[in-house]
């Protein structure tokens, strides 16, 4: 026991032997951490339901050895009397590089995982274009931060660089303001689930069609005349949009018609309702309906309403509905008026 004490006192009394001892201990700890990562934490992570812990451990496993080792070297250098500033800066730089590489691996792994998970679950291509862009931005920011920490480790004044970077950032943001607005608008559309590819929508400006693709900067709208309209996502994010597919695909079809004055409203309702209830594709729930709306200048105005299972059947059903209403009124002898004007004249003596 006394011998061990003497050896330890001798080792810790000599700064160079103390540095060597701490270095060997840090190397041993680094080796233990690596074994724990690969043989303990990895198998445990594979037993969990989520894959995020597998990705995190796999990303930091290889770099953890160097991180622990260089951290031990830094502690050992602090015990050297006098401490060597050059070697301390060198070890701090190595730690910055290791942490930067570790963060870059985490970014690569997580973005690849999310891209593989989401691209098959969403019909939009915006996630496939957005995630690589986000990955590049995160990697650039990580590298820039790594450079700043490296310069700081070597006692380089980075205040002028930060000022220049801030001015450059403002200039770049002003130059690409519209593009950033469209990109953020696309993200907002996806997160809000305003629409998806294949949805029939109508914009507040009047355009109507089917969403063909949701891109990073713009959305493609295919009209029913087989034309494609490219709409900036920034404009869409602030527009009023009617989505015919939400909350479900069913939609109501309305046909307005008028009958001549003197017609029995109840007879008109029964005749038209019986006719439209026989139409193919019309849903029984909600049931077809005929309503007496108003007494206008030349006619009694009604509306016939039916529901169909999908908006894709709405236009075809409206044509059939209009034709069936006309035939039913004619068959029942109910007149369909047209605008008339009666002129009274007075004879002069």
């Amino acid at each position: 026991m006394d011998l061990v004490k003497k050896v330890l006192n001798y080792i810790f009394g000599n700064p160079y032997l103390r540095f060597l001892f701490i270095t060997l201990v840090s190397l041993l700890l680094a080796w233990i951490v690596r074994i724990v990562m690969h043989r303990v934490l990895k198998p445990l992570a594979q037993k969990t339901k989520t894959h995020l812990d597998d990705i995190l451990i796999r990303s930091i496993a290889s770099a953890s050895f160097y991180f622990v080792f260089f951290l031990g070297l830094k502690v050992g250098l602090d015990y050297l009397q006098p401490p060597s500033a050059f070697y301390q800066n060198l070890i701090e730089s190595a730690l910055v590089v290791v942490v930067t590489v570790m963060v870059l691996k985490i970014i690569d792994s997580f973005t690849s995982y999310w891209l593989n998970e989401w691209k098959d679950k969403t019909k939009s291509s915006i996630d496939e274009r957005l995630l690589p862009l986000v990955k590049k931005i995160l990697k650039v920011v990580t590298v820039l931060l790594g450079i700043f920490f490296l310069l700081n480790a070597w006692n380089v004044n980075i205040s002028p660089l930060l000022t220049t970077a801030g001015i450059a950032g403002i200039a770049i943001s002003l130059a690409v303001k519209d593009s950033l607005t469209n990109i953020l608008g696309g993200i907002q559309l996806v997160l809000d689930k305003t629409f998806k590819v294949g949805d029939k929508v109508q914009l507040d400006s009047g355009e109507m069609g089917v969403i063909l693709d949701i891109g990073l900067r713009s959305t493609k709208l295919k009209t029913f005349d087989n034309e494609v309209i490219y709409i900036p996502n920034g404009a869409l994010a602030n527009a009023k949009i009617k989505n015919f597919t939400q909350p479900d695909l069913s939609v109501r079809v309305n046909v307005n018609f008028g009958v001549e004055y003197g017609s029995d409203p109840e007879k008109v309702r029964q005749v038209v309702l019986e006719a439209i209830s026989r139409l193919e594709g019309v849903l029984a729930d909600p049931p077809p309906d005929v309503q007496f709306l108003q007494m206008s200048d030349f006619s009694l105005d009604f509306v016939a309403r039916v529901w169909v299972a999908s908006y894709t059947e709405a236009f075809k059903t409206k044509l059939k509905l209009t034709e069936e209403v006309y035939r039913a009124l004619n068959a029942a002898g109910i007149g369909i008026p047209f605008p008339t004007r009666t002129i009274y004249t007075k004879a002069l003596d």
Side-chain angles (χ1 to χ4, degrees), residues 144-202:
L144 289 177
L145 289 175
I147 293 173
F148 286 146
F149 281 114
L150 278 175
L151 294 176
N152 187 58
W154 292 94
N155 299 320
V156 177
N157 186 10
I158 61 174
S159 298
L161 293 176
L162 291 175
T163 303
T164 304
I167 296 174
I170 295 174
I172 293 173
S173 63
L174 291 175
V176 298
K177 180 181 66 175
D178 293 337
S179 296
L180 289 175
T181 300
N182 292 328
I183 292 172
L184 293 176
I187 297 173
Q188 181 179 341
L189 291 174
V190 173
L191 294 179
D192 290 345
K193 298 180 180 180
T194 307
F195 47 71
K196 61 181 182 298
V197 174
D199 285 1
K200 176 186 175 182
V201 299
Q202 182 178 12

Side-chain angles (χ1 to χ4, degrees), residues 196-297:
K196 61 181 182 298
V197 174
D199 285 1
K200 176 186 175 182
V201 299
Q202 182 178 12
L203 308 182
D204 54 0
S205 55
E207 291 91 348
M208 180 187 297
V210 177
I211 299 297
L212 195 62
D213 181 52
I214 306 173
L216 188 60
R217 295 184 61 253
S218 63
T219 295
K220 297 178 185 177
L221 179 69
K222 183 179 179 181
T223 68
F224 296 106
D225 294 327
N226 200 31
E227 300 170 341
V228 177
I229 303 176
Y230 292 82
I231 310 168
N233 289 333
L236 279 178
N238 297 318
K240 293 180 180 179
I241 302 172
K242 182 189 292 184
N243 192 331
F244 292 88
T245 64
Q246 294 182 6
D248 52 54
L249 296 179
S250 62
V251 65
R252 189 174 67 183
V253 179
N254 301 326
V255 170
N256 294 293
F257 65 94
V259 298
E260 63 186 5
Y261 272 90
S263 302
D264 183 5
E266 186 60 30
K267 180 181 178 181
V268 173
R269 186 180 292 109
Q270 291 178 357
V271 167
V272 174
L273 188 59
E274 183 180 351
I276 65 177
S277 298
R278 296 193 300 263
L279 280 176
E280 183 181 357
V282 171
L283 298 179
D285 186 24
D289 187 27
V290 178
Q291 294 184 359
F292 183 12
L293 297 180
Q294 64 179 358
M295 297 178 290
S296 60
D297 294 339

